[in-house]
Amino acid sequence: MDFLDSRHSVAKPGFSRWLVPPAALCIHLCIGQAYAFSVFNKPMSQLLGITEHVPGDWSIADLGWIFSLAILFLGLGAAFFGKWVEDVGPRKAMFAAACLFCGGLFVSAIGVSLHQLWIVFLGYGVIGGIGLGIGYISPVSTLIKWFPDRPGLATGTAIMGFGGGALIGAPLAVNLMAHYKTADNVGVAQTMGTMGAIYLMFMMVGVLIVRIPRAGWSPAGYVAPTASQGLITSRNILVGEAWKTPQFRLLWLVLFLNVTAGIGVLGQASLMIQEMFGPRLLHHLAGTPEAIKDLAVAGAAFVGLISIFNMAGRIFWSSTSDRIGRKPTYMIFFALGAVLYTLVPTFGHMGNIALFVIAFCIILTMYGGGFATIPAYLRDIFGTANVGAIHGRLLTAWSAAGVAGPVLINYIRQYQLDHGVAKADAYSITMYIMAGLLVIGFICNFAMKPADEKYYAKKLAEVSA
Amino acid sequence: MNANVGDVPDPGNTPKLVAAWVFVGIPLLWGVWVTLNNAIKLFQ
């Protein structure tokens, strides 16, 4: 297993740095399957009844915990193993991520076969979740080192893969379940096992391709800045100091607020379009020749559409941030996001599906863009030395938002329904609250300034320690 | 500092580079295609 050591993954002269983004994509396209886990929910709630939910079957509410646990352990895994990832290099970290994530799928397949939900929680939620966390951060600092001239583009490419992973994972799972389904088996366990095997092979290609630049390497024509420029530092703050800085706390809030607003809507998008435009959609879809027969399918199509914008926004905004800067990019996210969230209820009242969909597509580009731009923002503020480990700790904001976003949107909606608000109007207040969160995010981002001198590593030896 | 020693990528890397991008590109494009095909029906 020596080849996994970072000393064996140092690039030889002539190596093209453009091989590193596909290596990162091999990991992120697979672990991004987590976003599509909900395709298993309905069949997993009918493991005993096969065609319908029967007593003894798992409830959808219980199954929802699998994804929540996976996101929780993603954050915890990234936070706890971030420094280890920095120490051992991307190859060993990507290998560990592949084993954990795919191992989690295999364990879950066993849990489904035995109809033991706790095994699925342990498999996909805990083991797979830690794999998600390690896999998510493993190529980030390597990409930043290969692309010091375009860190946003480089990390955005990888993180775009996480968004794209859902687009692959959902139809792949649906097709496999259709293939394995029999009269007495919904095919979930076999599908999870097969996906684990496919993803393991795919991720191992990334493990084989990835390389780290040798010491002192820099791309042609690139001159590393010798002095800090604005928010972009030319020095380093180590992970042990970084998380004590006000800048880390502000960035944590920036990510948390951006993700809370986006994740709450992403999880409810299907229901929202059905409840806001139900009668209109039914009429609208009645004439379509193809398979769309009910509102749920229309809702799923809407979720698919905004997932594409979620993915595209990751590469668009992160590469834009290389040109206009990270702080202005987040200013746009929060300002434009707040305006669009405020307008969404109006579009709903107008009954204008096109404007409603366009608004959500733009919002979702900024949700994805927030994830993809944050590693480069961290690089700007804290330097390159420990950016992977710092990124890992910051991802706890994602875990927190993964709980806060859906809870906020669900409970506020339920409160309104309980007080007699019509279903179609129930999301208005939620949208205004989300807009308010984005205004707070705008203020946090506005307050960002370079870190105090006392936090910087004093010696080069300290950086490489 | 030995910077820029490996700046000029070996042209022999090109097939490897194409293969790597095709390897990740095909599943991604397939996923986008399937998703777009479903989503487009919303607007038909």
Side-chain angles (χ1 to χ4, degrees):
Chain A
M1 301 298 265
D2 264 6
F3 86 103
L4 293 175
D5 291 341
S6 56
R7 64 196 161 92
H8 290 297
S9 54
V10 178
K12 294 192 172 105
F15 178 82
S16 171
R17 61 176 175 162
W18 290 100
L19 274 166
V20 183
L25 280 169
C26 285
I27 302 299
H28 274 243
L29 284 174
C30 294
I31 60 175
Q33 182 272 342
Y35 270 145
F37 190 82
S38 60
V39 297
F40 289 121
N41 283 355
K42 190 156 185 265
M44 281 171 78
S45 71
Q46 299 174 353
L47 291 173
L48 302 178
I50 308 297
T51 55
E52 60 179 351
H53 181 84
V54 296
D57 262 325
W58 298 334
S59 71
I60 294 286
D62 287 342
L63 291 168
W65 280 103
I66 302 170
F67 177 75
S68 300
L69 269 177
I71 294 296
L72 174 68
F73 278 89
L74 180 156
L76 294 175
F80 280 110
F81 291 101
K83 186 72 173 72
W84 175 78
V85 169
E86 291 280 2
D87 291 344
V88 300
R91 184 173 279 178
K92 193 175 272 186
M94 285 158 75
F95 181 80
C99 294
L100 286 165
F101 179 68
C102 300
L105 276 168
F106 296 139
V107 172
S108 298
I110 294 168
V112 171
S113 309
L114 300 174
H115 205 255
Q116 294 289 326
L117 190 54
W118 70 270
I119 299 181
V120 185
F121 286 158
L122 174 71
Y124 198 89
V126 180
I127 301 171
I130 295 170
L132 282 173
I134 294 174
Y136 193 90
I137 59 169
S138 58
V140 167
S141 67
T142 304
L143 281 164
I144 285 177
K145 283 164 193 157
W146 276 113
F147 291 85
D149 47 343
R150 279 180 278 185
L153 170 73
T155 55
T157 307
I159 292 171
M160 173 198 72
F162 197 83
L167 304 183
I168 299 169
L172 180 62
V174 168
N175 286 331
L176 284 171
M177 282 190 285
H179 174 73
Y180 287 122
K181 189 174 181 178
T182 62
D184 57 356
N185 190 329
V186 292
V188 172
Q190 294 88 335
T191 297
M192 285 179 166
T194 307
M195 287 177 83
I198 294 171
Y199 283 155
L200 188 62
M201 286 188 285
F202 205 85
M203 292 171 88
M204 285 305 160
V205 173
V207 171
L208 292 174
I209 296 175
V210 75
R211 296 284 187 284
I212 53 174
R214 66 187 173 284
W217 180 90
S218 68
Y222 174 74
V223 180
T226 49
S228 300
Q229 299 169 328
L231 283 176
I232 306 173
T233 183
S234 59
R235 293 178 295 158
N236 291 286
I237 297 176
L238 303 182
V239 63
E241 290 296 313
W243 75 284
K244 297 176 193 162
T245 62
Q247 284 73 16
F248 182 87
R249 287 192 285 275
L250 285 173
L251 281 174
W252 195 96
L253 280 171
V254 160
L255 184 65
F256 172 76
L257 293 166
N258 193 49
V259 177
T260 298
I263 212 168
V265 169
L266 197 60
Q268 295 296 315
S270 171
L271 263 184
M272 278 171 70
I273 199 160
Q274 291 175 55
E275 291 182 1
M276 286 180 115
F277 297 103
R280 178 176 286 259
L281 268 175
L282 276 179
H283 172 73
H284 186 62
L285 294 171
T288 57
E290 303 253 359
I292 292 185
K293 289 194 176 69
D294 56 33
L295 279 171
V297 180
F302 177 57
V303 172
L305 183 70
I306 60 176
S307 299
I308 291 175
F309 281 86
N310 173 16
M311 180 188 76
R314 292 168 189 245
I315 191 79
F316 173 77
W317 287 112
S318 60
S319 49
T320 300
S321 76
D322 283 338
R323 290 192 293 276
I324 67 171
R326 298 344 140 183
K327 190 172 176 177
T329 303
Y330 278 88
M331 288 298 190
I332 295 172
F333 292 165
F334 290 121
L336 183 58
V339 170
L340 288 172
Y341 272 103
T342 309
L343 286 175
V344 159
T346 311
F347 295 152
H349 292 307
M350 287 163 60
N352 194 323
I353 299 180
L355 282 178
F356 180 88
V357 170
I358 289 168
F360 272 111
C361 288
I362 298 171
I363 285 172
L364 263 292
T365 68
M366 297 187 291
Y367 167 74
F371 280 116
T373 312
I374 209 79
Y377 209 163
L378 291 169
R379 197 284 310 242
D380 289 356
I381 304 278
F382 301 112
T384 54
N386 276 178
V387 68
I390 299 168
H391 186 213
R393 294 203 181 177
L394 198 81
L395 288 181
T396 50
W398 184 3
S399 298
V403 176
V407 165
L408 253 181
I409 211 161
N410 288 335
Y411 281 93
I412 295 168
R413 174 177 174 272
Q414 196 55 50
Y415 178 84
Q416 290 180 88
L417 292 180
D418 293 345
H419 287 77
V421 177
K423 265 188 175 181
D425 298 328
Y427 291 105
S428 300
I429 302 233
T430 317
M431 291 298 111
Y432 298 141
I433 291 174
M434 295 296 169
L437 292 181
L438 292 179
V439 170
I440 299 171
F442 185 92
I443 295 166
C444 292
N445 186 53
F446 187 74
M448 188 63 65
K449 53 187 183 185
D452 192 277
E453 191 63 31
K454 66 182 178 186
Y455 295 113
Y456 285 95
K458 298 291 183 292
K459 301 173 198 155
L460 197 61
E462 208 180 330
V463 171
S464 52
Chain B
M1 191 165 106
N2 63 342
N4 299 334
V5 175
D7 285 337
V8 183
D10 180 355
N13 276 332
T14 307
K16 210 186 286 181
L17 206 57
V18 172
W21 280 100
V22 167
F23 183 72
V24 293
I26 286 176
L28 184 57
L29 288 177
W30 173 74
V32 171
W33 173 252
V34 172
T35 310
L36 263 183
N37 255 327
N38 289 330
I40 211 86
K41 290 167 190 165
L42 199 61
F43 299 97
Q44 277 176 345

